[in-house]
Amino acid sequence: MVKRKGNLDDEEEAFERGRPGRSEATSASVPSKGPKEAKVKEPKVKKLRSEALDAPEGPPEGPPREPREPREPRELPYRDEETCRIKRLGTADLQEGALVMAAVRDVNDEELTLNLPYNNLAFVQRNEASEKVQAQHAQHTQLSLPESFAPGQLVVAVILTAQQVGPQRVRLDASLRPSLVNAGLTAEQLRPNMWLSTAVVGEEEHVLRLNFGVENVTGIIKKTEYGEEPVPKVGSIVMVSVQKVNSQAGTVKCSLASSEPIGNDPLDHSSLKPGMLVSARVRSVVEAKPRQTPGLQVRFCGLSAVIHKHHDGETEEVEWTKNQKLVARILALLPETTPVIQLTLLPHLVEWAPQDLSQKAQIGELLVGNIMDFQPKYGCRVQKLQGVAAEAADTDGEGDVLGFCSMSRLADTDKDIVATSVKAGFQSQYRVLSYNFLDKMLILTRKPADLEDGVLVSVSELSPGQLVTGIVTNVADHGIRVKLSDYVTGYVHLRQLTDVPLASVPKRLQVGSKVKCRVLHVHLKRRQLTLTAKKSLVQSDFQLTKTADAKVNMLLTGYISKMIDAGAIVQFYGGARGLIPVKDWEAEEAPAVGMAQTCRVVFVDKKEDRLLLSLNLEKGCSAAEIAEAEAVKKPQAMHGSVISKLKAIHAGPDGIVVKFKTDQEQLGYIPTLHLSDDLELATKRYREIAAELPVGDLSQAASSSSSLKLPDSAVILARSHIPGFTKDATEKQASFVLLTLKHSMLLACEAGAFIANVSDLQEGRFYSGFIKEVRDFGALVCVGSWRVTGIAHIFSLARRFVEKASDVIQVGQSVRILVSKVDSEKNRFEADLRPSAVSDKEFLKREAEALRLTLLQKDFTQSVPKKRSFMPGSILQAEITKIESYGLVLSVKNAKNLTAVALKENMPEMKPEVGATQKCAILDYNAETGILDVSLHPELLEKHDEEPEVGTELQVLPALSKKSYCICWSRKPAAVVFAPPYAPSTWKFPVKTVLHSADAAKVILCPFPSKERNKSNQVPQIKRPEEELQPGSPVKMKIKSLRGLEVCCAAPVGLQGHLHATQLVDLGELGDDGVTPLDTVARKGTLEARILRMKRRAGEDKKAKIWHLELTCRPSLMGALGLKDSSEYESALVKWPILTEGMKVAAAVQSIQKSHLWMEVGSGIKGRVALLDCSTDLAALKSPGEHFHVGQVFTARVLRVKSAQKELDLSLLPTKQSRSIARLSKIQDGATAAILQLPGKQWGAAHVTELFDVWAKNPQQRLKVGTYYEVAILDGGEGGEGGEGEGGEAPSKRIEVSLRPSLVRGAKIAADEQRPSSAKDLQLKQKISGYVVTAGPQGVFVALSRSLTGRIKLKALSETHILPEAVPKIHPPGSLITDMTVIYISETGKVELSLRTDDGLTAEQLSVGDIVSGRVKKVEPYGLFVRLDNSRTDAFIHRSEISDSASTTVDSYKVGTKIAQAKVLKIEGQKIGLTIKPSNFSAEDVEEDGSDSDDVQELLAAAREKMKGKKRKKGKTDETLEDEEVETPVTKAPKVKAKKRKQPEKVEENADESEEEPWQPLQTGSTAGFEFADFKVDSATSSDAGAENEEDEDEEDGKKKLSKRQKKAIRKEEEKELRKREEENADGQWADNPRSVEDFERLLLTQGDTSIVWIRYMAFHLKMSDLERAQQVAERAVKHVGFSDSKERFNVWVAYMNLECTFGTEKTADAVFSRASSHNDAKQVHMQLARIHERNKKTPLAVKAYEACARKFPESKKVWIAFLSFLYQNADAEGARKVLPKSLAALPRRKHPVVVSKAAILEYQNGSPDRGRSIFEGLLDSYPKRTDLWAVYFDAHVKAFTPPRVAEPDFNEIRPLFRRCGAMSLKATKMRFFFKRWLDFETKWGDEQSQEEVRSKAREFVESQG
């Protein structure tokens, strides 16, 4: 295994792997055994001895054993080298497909950062963090990553890629999508307690629907599982436990609990996923040794797994024992040859409990801890951390949190690490760097430099405006990078370097320079800093970071960030900014963007978080001056300030004077009615306080020496107030600070709801206030400050009529105020005091709390003669003394002067008697009057031990209403409660509220009934319906019931109404979604409607006067009477006679069946809707019960109506649709392949070419009858055989439809998938495909499209003759034919096609010595003109080249005579000279061709005479030759023997450079001779020629010569046998999919010149593990003489080389390479050798091959480019950079630009973008006007600094390049190119301003050109 480089902090383990070759030796010498076969005798000791993965050398421990011969290596049970080896996981192990548990570390808008096991990191892009929402959930907006994930959250991830991003850095990209995480999991593998990742794909009322990523499986989880936690939204990723699987329904019931492990049944690896809880058993304990990592080897469900020491869940040494059971979670699954499983026992992972380490320790915090253990080259774990972590651990009970310090952070260098400093128990100081939420560890450092004070380890330690010092690490055109510490780096933009922006970075700022900066912005999510080095900002004394910190006239220094139409935006720190208006500066003094600017604050808008600034600095003050002035200024008591420590010193006639101290002692005045919210209590308190103080005129208050401490806090209402102020006073009146002790105002101050200015009021909002004055028109009210006064008109004081305001309110009363209108100009507002419902819960809580505090001051005890408690809810015995109209008067036993009163509202239905004793429940007690308010409700009189708790919901009813509070009671639990006095005085039904406090006097939030029953529900009487009512009349009726789809109503006197669901909505458009109007109407008490029809019940007496009314509530018919005629109402009633086809009606769903819906269009009129007419959604057709509900109303269209039979067919779809859903009814052969049922009782026909876009084999077999498909409507058809209508109706019209996705969904298709509509769309020699319609003796008719059919004649079907009877079997109807060539197009549009591989031979394809055949076309005295077979080429045979003897002359040949074989003598241009003289043919040239003609016989005889030296027997007469004639044989393909000619087949472009071998079979080829396994066919013999040879052999053997008749009989028998074999192979698929040696050998007979057949033959043997046979086939292939195309030959050699390089030895590979180089283009062979090594990942051999190729072909740029690409792609950038100068030295100068530009692109892609830019810059210095080089430069540069390569476009890297090009002075055409590329970039990534910049630059260039 090759080890990948990883990050030094990735904690890759470097332990010794064991002796090399041990596992191979063991496996070679010992046969593999299963777990049951392998038995090892365990030593008999109590404690389990730890076992290593590799058995140690030397004698075994324990008692001696008997010797065994031969001794075999000991094999441990369940010991698999890969699955049982314990190791830490590094980036080299986490390859593509690895599944791991992970925890979210960081979340931003673009990606997630995950903690993987063992401190590895992975990144998840936004599109990989959730599944895509389907179309039906498109309304759900995609959730942002911060909304879906939180740091510490546990997830399951799959590794997508592992990319090398640096010399020692590997970036892991992962995905959380369940479809990828659960890949490979099937529905059958699901079992209970599986813990799986799912995506929420739907939300219903009580459940969530989940997607596992498993086909045909949907998860369901109840919302109640989440309790009080928020329910996940659609698109969220959630982890669930499988509870129950319903395989038939495809549903899985899920739960959030993950406490039970999966069962112990055997499992395969594909069923396992990380996070699953398993029950395992320890198989062995592995101790720490030099060659092994400590841990446990366990087994569960028949599988082996390991547990690393760091994941055993124990911080102390624990003795594990063999067979010990444990419960663990799967930590990781690695996709090795045998998948590796790692488990974890960490408690928080086993319990699946996310960890919040931020509560343990903060980043940057210093801790002290002890080393737990140490591993070289990795680091140490730290325990017993003290400080914040230790305190948190002691409080939460979770134990100490562990830390980890890597090797690189233990000391400044590895040499500084002392052995004693890494020993277990060594105590040291550490600093927290980050968190590992998965392993529950703090990432630490103890490097001395990191422990110093002020060292920054995270950007979170910095704040905007903070002064920092750093060192410049990088200088670029756009700015500089400043290193603040080893862990924090900031960026200073070019504009932030100086007060006045410069065009470039100042020279003083070089790498290594020290610079002072201030923090502008802290980007916590991205962990980035933005700094400024502007001198004015760095030296400023005050840094504005919040708008609220700004003061008017404060001088601030910022910088101009943006210019807008309104002015200039000035940016400060942390996002604070302000606006300098345009009017504030003159045109020549306008500030520039980036310039530092000092300005003055004019206005501060804290609500909108904005500032108004000015350049006028005259009145400005520094922040220090303003702070000093505020400190010197004497503080004054402001309105709404809370004052404590009050001392009462004097009592006036209407209030108390108090003394309090702020900065100095002041006198305050509290009016009597402001001593409490309860006015009676306020009066009582005044008397109690006044009794302790001097009472008199307020003018004497200042000299009072008395003092009484008050426990209350007061609120300032006014800073200066004169009590009892009169204008006529002659003496100076005393002024005081006006105070109030009302708890309602005090709580309003604390909540920030105290109003000091009218402008702070909001209309429609409730406030706590009090009555200031009572006037005739109403009252003056206050909601805070005494000066903020509003008017409450008399009509708004109560819900009832008020004659005098003083009857319902009084001065000082605390009230709830609704602000109805605010007039800021007049400084007043209008208020409404009427009781109304309040939705502000915080306001209700303040009211309840104020009442609670007031009741605490109330005395519920009797003071005379002895104290006795009368707490509300207490039960006492009382005697009824009087019965009054308002209720009962009772006397309390043993309590004189105490009277109890029970109002009627507080009594059940009873017959009271005077003198009877009655149990009473106390409601309220007034100690001054001695009156008890009691209740006699039995619920309150029963004993109840349970007291309601705070927050309990109660159903309360009113009992008493007083000015300061209301008293209510509840039945269950039985309780008496108090409420604020703002609820209605009475209500009939219980109202729900919440208990606020459970003190002795229980207080609830103010209840308010949601609905009051009033007179609006009363139904008026209609005494004479026949006179008062008519169609269209409005009526109001009471709802009685809901029957089916009708609402039954009634009204007095004798009226019964029926409202059908279809009469509740107006007609809409066909296809609109349905509505359910009955859901809202059925809940109403009354119904307002209009009459459609009124009638008496049939046969009823007129005196009964019972009318039945047909009603409507359609909005269009509910207008005022008189606007519509009564006939319109009558026509709105649906009846059978008015129903016509095409009519639109409203239809309500009555019932849902599997195949249709029953819908009602009116009362008693029912119609049927087929599923196809219900919806265009496939999901709705598959499960109509989930998409349609009873009571839904749709707009429908009448398809068919039969009034007499009461039959009605409806449709919910529009009439004209371009696309529709259809049901496949029938599949048939021929042109019309499918008959489909369409909506609207129509039938469609799909042509065989309209089934799929791709040319699929047997397309009808891919369809399934009864399945629903989406189809595109092509055009209306004529009446046809589409299908039968319902009930045996005549078939409907057939419509042409298409199932092709390109027409249905607009999918893109390839050019070869286009369907030609007519012959005009075709061209000669065009390659096309089609389906066979018919086949017969006339040829094969192929459908090219639904409107075009072509024909293939028999002679064009193949190069060999095909019998007419076999054509239908070879090409049955419906079969696919590809690679047809258009050979003829007639004027009438007829198309002739051909399946022949070429158009025939041409002169260019022939060479001298080739053997051809043909027929005599013309006979001339000087020779013969011959048309070559399978071509349109004519050749000439001179009379001297006809025969060696004079017996055969030109006259011996007639037109049409077959020339079986002729040799090419010469070729001059298009003129071809042939010879047929036997003396010109050798024995090898004479080849059988299946012909029995005289010419062939003569030619063969002449050849035999020449070969054997025999003379042909004479005496044969012309009759004899005539008798030997046979039928003219079928035409055969011309044979070329002497030299290989080029074949006209199309060969894949760049086949020699293809990365993949061409494994797919071709349809072309030619015959050749091969050596089969059982017999041999020589290329120079044939069956017929063999018959001729038999004749000679018979003569030589002395046998009797066959007669003519016998020969003829033999030939007929052979022909019969040949026909039989053709028929047997007609239906076979061996040519397309050969599966045996025989199939391949047969295929080579017809396609032997095609390389793909040989390659597939080799692959077949390799698949059978027969390397030797594969090499034999390869050797046959390269020696095959039939290859006529150099590319075909080259393909075979490449395959041979690939075979030997992959499976052979180095010697055989070199031999094949040498041979291939001599037979093919040497450069291509060298290149292919290098690519083969590259594909086989033999990097050294590939480098060696590329170097050899470059030495041999130094002037080939392709070679050098391929070499460079290989090096860069294999992360050898340094090697590539060394190769580049060598290539430039070897190549001609004209090839330099291409190679250099390619090297630069590769640097951008795989190396350093900066180096790539440097290469391009150097190249363009030499070729500044080459726009093609500029284009490549632009593309590479833009891609390097835009997504997806970076998170956000780096405009500072890209725009300078475009601006530089825009400033060049080149030709207009070249400059147009630059500006266009720039504008394209800005259009995609920039904004309007940047695009306008490009346009302005372009205009400047045009203007400069004149």
Side-chain angles (χ1 to χ4, degrees), residues 223-280:
K223 292 183 179 179
T224 54
E225 290 272 350
Y226 291 91
E228 297 180 357
E229 297 181 3
V231 178
K233 298 181 180 179
V234 173
S236 301
I237 301 293
V238 295
M239 300 296 298
V240 297
S241 174
V242 175
Q243 296 298 309
K244 185 177 181 181
V245 180
N246 188 339
S247 57
Q248 295 181 352
T251 58
V252 178
K253 184 179 179 182
C254 305
S255 173
L256 295 180
S258 177
S259 58
E260 296 295 330
I262 58 178
N264 296 323
D265 296 336
L267 290 174
D268 57 2
H269 293 89
S270 62
S271 302
L272 299 179
K273 300 297 174 186
M276 288 186 179
L277 206 62
V278 298
S279 178

Side-chain angles (χ1 to χ4, degrees), residues 448-507:
D450 295 340
L451 300 180
E452 296 178 0
D453 293 337
V455 174
L456 298 173
V457 297
S458 172
V459 296
S460 60
E461 300 180 70
L462 295 173
S463 58
Q466 186 173 341
L467 185 65
V468 295
T469 303
I471 298 175
V472 178
T473 59
N474 186 22
V475 179
D477 295 340
H478 49 78
I480 63 174
R481 294 280 180 184
V482 179
K483 178 182 177 182
L484 306 183
S485 69
D486 291 340
Y487 307 98
V488 179
T489 303
Y491 172 68
V492 185
H493 193 271
L494 179 63
R495 291 178 179 173
Q496 297 296 332
L497 293 176
T498 56
D499 287 349
V500 178
L502 301 179
S504 61
V505 178
K507 293 184 179 179

Side-chain angles (χ1 to χ4, degrees), residues 1257 1559-1563 1625 1627-1643 1647 1653 1656-1657 1660 1663:
K1257 292 184 178 180
W1559 298 113
Q1560 296 300 324
L1562 301 177
Q1563 299 297 325
N1625 294 329
D1627 296 331
Q1629 299 295 327
W1630 60 270
D1632 294 332
N1633 187 20
R1635 299 182 180 180
S1636 63
V1637 173
E1638 290 75 16
D1639 290 343
F1640 277 103
E1641 295 291 352
R1642 291 167 62 191
L1643 188 59
Q1647 301 183 24
V1653 178
R1656 294 178 69 198
Y1657 201 359
F1660 169 78
K1663 186 177 180 181

Side-chain angles (χ1 to χ4, degrees), residues 622-685:
S622 65
E625 292 174 346
I626 293 177
E628 184 179 354
E630 290 180 349
V632 173
K633 186 177 180 181
K634 293 182 179 180
Q636 295 182 358
M638 306 295 293
H639 295 270
S641 300
V642 178
I643 305 298
S644 58
K645 298 182 180 180
L646 299 174
K647 294 182 180 179
I649 60 175
H650 187 79
D654 298 315
I656 303 296
V657 177
V658 296
K659 183 186 295 184
F660 64 94
K661 187 176 181 180
T662 54
D663 58 315
Q664 60 183 1
E665 283 192 350
Q666 300 185 49
L667 296 178
Y669 180 74
I670 306 174
T672 300
L673 299 179
H674 278 266
L675 290 172
S676 176
D677 283 311
D678 187 343
L679 298 184
E680 294 180 0
L681 183 59
T683 304
K684 179 181 176 182
R685 289 198 67 188

